[in-house]
Amino acid sequence: AQKVTQAQTEISVVEKEDVTLDCVYETRDTTYYLFWYKQPPSGELVFLIRRNSFDEQNEISGRYSWNFQKSTSSFNFTITASQVVDSAVYFCAQGATGFQKLVFGTGTRLLVSP
Amino acid sequence: DTEVTQTPKHLVMGMTNKKSLKCEQHMGHRAMYWYKQKAKKPPELMFVYSYEKLSINESVPSRFSPECPNSSLLNLHLHALQPEDSALYLCASSQEGTGRTDTQYFGPGTRLTVL
């Protein structure tokens, strides 16, 4: 069975601080996909990144970066120089290859204050 | 363009009403999804349509009735709902249907209140 754990319920930082959101997953599958979504107060889930289990390269996109480590079953997300607009709930999710159902973590609420 | 639209944005209904939620995508995606999200919880999958056919029903009560008139449209018909059904209803779509784990793109949601 798949499981995604986001142990950090809420994180508060001051603008320009760096912040890392943790995601730990469990699966018996050899191939799988991992995702991060952002949900601002407006409610829409915004897709951020998709990673397959064969690609352990870290990814950087502007102020966002992702660290995928199969050895620790983690897919952590770092925001560099956080901004107020980064305030949102961030969900990590996992999908088994060939299946459409995503397993979501419980989410981490990030509050960035000016 | 990764846009999924949903109408209405907000809906208030009584327990005896019949209403429908609508979702539309013009990305040529062949799979569409309905999710329910309660406050401070992750989204919960309700239904999946692949190539206009219902492929997944997560044991959702029959007072929720999905419909996929064509590959771009997805409806959720609501009847005799309960106050505990109040939630944010999210629609999503992905490129391919059954047998794939493509990225799901979400709409802005319909915030439903059942009185």
Side-chain angles (χ1 to χ4, degrees):
Chain A
Q2 296 175 309
K3 184 179 178 182
V4 176
T5 301
Q6 294 181 258
Q8 303 151 309
T9 305
E10 186 168 309
I11 302 175
S12 292
V13 299
V14 177
E15 214 171 13
K16 297 184 183 177
E17 283 186 34
D18 298 346
V19 58
T20 296
L21 309 183
D22 297 332
C23 173
V24 174
Y25 62 92
E26 295 176 30
T27 183
R28 295 180 182 175
D29 298 318
T30 54
T31 59
Y32 50 89
Y33 293 85
L34 298 168
F35 302 82
W36 276 96
Y37 286 88
K38 172 183 179 180
Q39 188 172 40
S42 59
E44 178 177 356
L45 264 79
V46 178
F47 165 70
L48 297 177
I49 190 170
R50 172 176 181 255
R51 257 292 177 263
N52 72 50
S53 52
F54 292 112
D55 186 358
E56 277 195 82
Q57 282 190 351
N58 292 334
E59 175 97 4
I60 297 175
S61 176
R63 295 184 298 106
Y64 295 171
S65 62
W66 291 268
N67 183 287
F68 177 25
Q69 291 194 338
K70 289 178 74 171
S71 60
T72 55
S73 297
S74 64
F75 186 42
N76 296 338
F77 172 31
T78 297
I79 301 175
T80 302
S82 59
Q83 300 177 1
V84 173
V85 293
D86 296 326
S87 297
V89 179
Y90 291 85
F91 289 99
C92 180
Q94 180 181 44
T97 300
F99 291 88
Q100 295 165 294
K101 183 174 180 178
L102 295 181
V103 175
F104 284 87
T106 50
T108 296
R109 181 176 301 275
L110 175 64
L111 299 172
V112 182
S113 54
Chain B
D1 185 8
T2 56
E3 187 179 74
V4 177
T5 59
Q6 290 187 242
T7 55
K9 288 187 177 180
H10 301 274
L11 179 62
V12 179
M13 59 186 291
M15 289 189 287
T16 58
N17 292 155
K18 286 185 180 181
K19 296 287 184 182
S20 297
L21 309 185
K22 296 185 185 302
C23 174
E24 189 168 6
Q25 58 89 11
H26 292 290
M27 296 177 280
H29 288 177
R30 305 312 303 270
M32 297 186 76
Y33 310 72
W34 279 116
Y35 286 84
K36 173 183 177 180
Q37 187 179 23
K38 301 284 279 185
K40 297 184 185 291
K41 297 290 187 182
E44 297 175 14
L45 183 65
M46 299 175 72
F47 303 103
V48 182
Y49 272 83
S50 296
Y51 299 97
E52 303 165 41
K53 294 190 189 307
L54 184 65
S55 60
I56 296 177
N57 177 341
E58 291 285 292
S59 302
V60 178
S62 59
R63 57 185 184 270
F64 296 91
S65 176
E67 179 196 18
C68 189
N70 60 57
S71 59
S72 300
L73 291 173
L74 186 66
N75 299 322
L76 186 62
H77 303 296
L78 314 173
H79 173 57
L81 294 193
Q82 304 297 311
E84 59 264 28
D85 296 322
S86 299
L88 179 68
Y89 287 84
L90 293 160
C91 175
S93 70
S94 66
Q95 189 166 9
E96 291 294 335
T98 310
R100 293 278 296 261
T101 316
D102 290 321
T103 298
Q104 295 180 27
Y105 295 94
F106 286 80
T110 294
R111 203 164 293 277
L112 173 67
T113 302
V114 182
L115 301 176

